[in-house]
Amino acid sequence: MSPAGFDEALVAAAQSGSTEAFSRLVERHQQALRTFLRRACGDWAAADDLAQETFLAAWSRIGRLKAGASVRAWLCGIGYNKHLTAMRSAGRERARAARYEADRPPPSDAAPEDRLALEAAMGELPTEQRACVALCLAADFSHAEAAEALAIPLGTVKSHISRGRARLLQALGVCDDAS
């Protein structure tokens, strides 16, 4: 029996539900598929993952394979579509990451021990004061926006900011010339 005829017999058996026949098709074509995908995407690990995804998809679609069609070409087509989908997904992920990085505030130049002291000092502030400081000093809310967000009077927000700022500066050992 010719290789194409052997594939046709295996496809017919797999279409009838034989997992053993499909397993034989995988054995016959996995190396060619992996080689193609490794060349197409240039990443061996990704190509091997795509090959596995391809065979899973092929098993669920085996009923759609027409009699006489090339199994190898069919598998490579599925694999290539999986590769294109992965590339589009990676592109969207890179775009999301770039937007995140662009929107992220610049890193603080503070030393790690200063950041830890600041976090500890924030933790010591009373709840409302900490919320006001977090909104106005860390998240760039105006006092009015913080008052609205927290549903407290504007004067209370200003007092909380003033007292909280002073306590934080004291915790960091910084002299407050503004007072």
Side-chain angles (χ1 to χ4, degrees):
M1 183 180 294
S2 72
F6 189 62
D7 275 354
E8 284 183 39
L10 290 173
V11 167
Q15 287 174 333
S16 296
S18 170
T19 56
E20 174 143 348
F22 187 77
S23 178
R24 296 287 308 275
L25 285 169
V26 170
E27 289 172 11
R28 288 178 51 77
H29 298 288
Q30 68 180 337
Q31 190 57 46
L33 177 64
R34 280 192 164 92
T35 300
F36 164 69
L37 289 171
R38 287 173 179 169
R39 288 182 180 137
C41 64
D43 179 340
W44 281 44
D48 288 345
D49 291 344
L50 289 170
Q52 287 181 346
E53 290 178 33
T54 298
F55 286 120
L56 287 172
W59 173 245
S60 67
R61 299 177 195 167
I62 192 74
R64 298 183 205 161
L65 184 59
K66 292 181 173 64
S70 167
V71 174
R72 184 172 296 184
W74 179 66
L75 290 169
C76 286
I78 294 171
Y80 186 65
N81 285 328
K82 294 274 181 200
H83 168 60
L84 292 177
T85 299
M87 284 179 41
R88 285 189 297 270
S89 179
R92 286 189 301 269
E93 179 57 35
R94 281 191 303 275
R96 271 192 300 274
R99 282 193 308 273
Y100 171 77
E101 287 299 321
D103 293 344
R104 211 170 76 161
S108 169
D109 291 338
E113 57 274 3
D114 288 342
R115 283 190 296 248
L116 290 174
L118 181 62
E119 289 296 321
M122 281 288 288
E124 297 292 319
L125 296 177
T127 304
E128 256 188 17
Q129 200 174 75
R130 182 176 41 231
C132 290
V133 168
L135 288 176
C136 294
L137 299 182
D140 292 327
F141 275 53
S142 70
H143 292 165
E145 290 171 324
E148 182 181 337
L150 300 173
I152 58 177
L154 179 60
T156 305
V157 170
K158 290 180 179 183
S159 296
H160 284 325
I161 297 296
S162 178
R163 289 187 188 112
R165 183 177 179 279
R167 287 180 72 173
L168 293 176
L169 289 173
Q170 181 183 11
L172 293 173
V174 176
C175 179
D176 185 11
D177 294 335
S179 330

